[in-house]
Amino acid sequence: ELKVEQNPLFLSMQEGKNYTIYCNYSTTSDRLYWYRQDPGKSLESLFVLLSNGAVKQEGRLMASLDTKARLSTLHITAAVHDLSATYFCGSSGGSNYKLTFGKGTLLTVNP
Amino acid sequence: DGGITQSPKYLFRKEGQNVTLSCEQNLNHDAMYWYRQDPGQGLRLIYYSQIVNDFQKGDIAEGYSVSREKKESFPLTVTSAQKNPTAFYLCASSSWDPGQETQYFGPGTRLLVL
């Protein structure tokens, strides 16, 4: 059974600081996804990582994938308040369709 | 505009009642999914469908049923057998095309039990 673990589950940071969210998964995965969820809203796709060593960047967020370590990271650079949200990673395992999600990381960026 | 719509936004269920949540997409996606989210939790897969007239159980299918009669539509019925249905329900869809497998989510339906 595929398990996906994120840490930390709660993260409070100051504006301008850097931090990393970690996503570990237990079985071989073809794809790793990162999503953002604002309070009371749906999930917004951020990144999909398809191969070992893949790195994608959008604004202050950068995601990477190490399939050998079964680890993905979401790095936040010079955080701003607008990045406050819950971030989820999801792993496809060996499936073409099913995603298993972590419990999410609630990020709060304080002025 | 292409996207996924879910209705209603809020739904109230009485004890012993079956209720149906609607999910429609105009993205021409083959695969559709239903997830349940409980407060402070991640998403758990209820059912998914790869093609019309076919669907598979996810991790928590008990007390739920689905149908896929049209490519665009994947309704979810929460039956009276689901004893703890209060949750946020999210529908998603994705393409089969390589490199286009991202699941896109609808706005969600919040189900409450009276």
Side-chain angles (χ1 to χ4, degrees):
Chain A
E1 179 188 348
L2 172 60
K3 294 188 187 302
V4 178
E5 293 188 356
Q6 285 182 240
N7 71 84
L9 297 181
F10 301 94
L11 178 54
S12 181
M13 1 177 1
Q14 285 187 312
E15 281 191 329
K17 298 293 187 182
N18 303 335
Y19 210 85
T20 301
I21 299 170
Y22 297 89
C23 175
N24 289 92
Y25 53 95
S26 61
T27 63
T28 301
S29 177
D30 294 333
R31 293 179 294 279
L32 194 291
Y33 298 81
W34 285 97
Y35 288 87
R36 169 183 172 142
Q37 185 178 39
D38 292 300
K41 303 293 186 182
S42 185
L43 271 69
E44 173 191 353
S45 175
L46 295 174
F47 303 108
V48 54
L49 303 167
L50 301 175
S51 61
N52 187 43
V55 176
K56 290 194 174 180
Q57 182 164 4
E58 181 73 33
R60 300 174 187 273
L61 300 178
M62 183 174 72
S64 66
L65 180 63
D66 181 345
T67 58
K68 293 179 181 177
R70 295 178 184 165
L71 171 68
S72 180
T73 61
L74 180 66
H75 187 73
I76 302 150
T77 301
V80 293
H81 180 69
D82 285 351
L83 289 179
S84 297
T86 300
Y87 292 86
F88 290 94
C89 66
S91 172
S92 66
S95 167
N96 285 332
Y97 300 100
K98 291 178 60 176
L99 285 187
T100 299
F101 286 88
K103 291 189 174 183
T105 297
L106 175 58
L107 172 64
T108 304
V109 181
N110 303 304
Chain B
D1 283 341
I4 303 172
T5 58
Q6 291 186 242
S7 62
K9 186 174 181 179
Y10 296 96
L11 185 57
F12 299 92
R13 193 191 90 163
K14 295 180 181 178
E15 292 285 343
Q17 187 180 38
N18 293 352
V19 292
T20 297
L21 285 60
S22 170
C23 177
E24 304 277 333
Q25 54 98 1
N26 61 4
L27 300 168
N28 199 34
H29 285 169
D30 294 289
M32 297 186 74
Y33 315 81
W34 275 105
Y35 292 91
R36 168 181 172 143
Q37 185 178 31
D38 293 284
Q41 300 293 316
L43 280 69
R44 292 182 291 169
L45 183 64
I46 304 173
Y47 270 97
Y48 65 104
S49 169
Q50 301 174 28
I51 198 168
V52 173
N53 293 323
D54 186 52
F55 48 83
Q56 285 78 39
K57 293 181 178 180
D59 299 319
I60 54 166
E62 186 174 350
Y64 301 97
S65 66
V66 293
S67 63
R68 186 89 186 275
E69 298 176 1
K70 298 187 299 181
K71 186 176 184 177
E72 302 79 17
S73 178
F74 191 39
L76 173 74
T77 296
V78 184
T79 74
S80 57
Q82 173 49 244
K83 298 306 180 188
N84 185 22
T86 297
F88 188 40
Y89 291 86
L90 289 159
C91 177
S93 69
S94 67
S95 170
W96 280 6
D97 296 337
Q100 302 295 325
E101 303 94 341
T102 297
Q103 291 188 19
Y104 295 95
F105 285 81
T109 293
R110 205 166 295 275
L111 176 61
L112 300 167
V113 177
L114 296 177

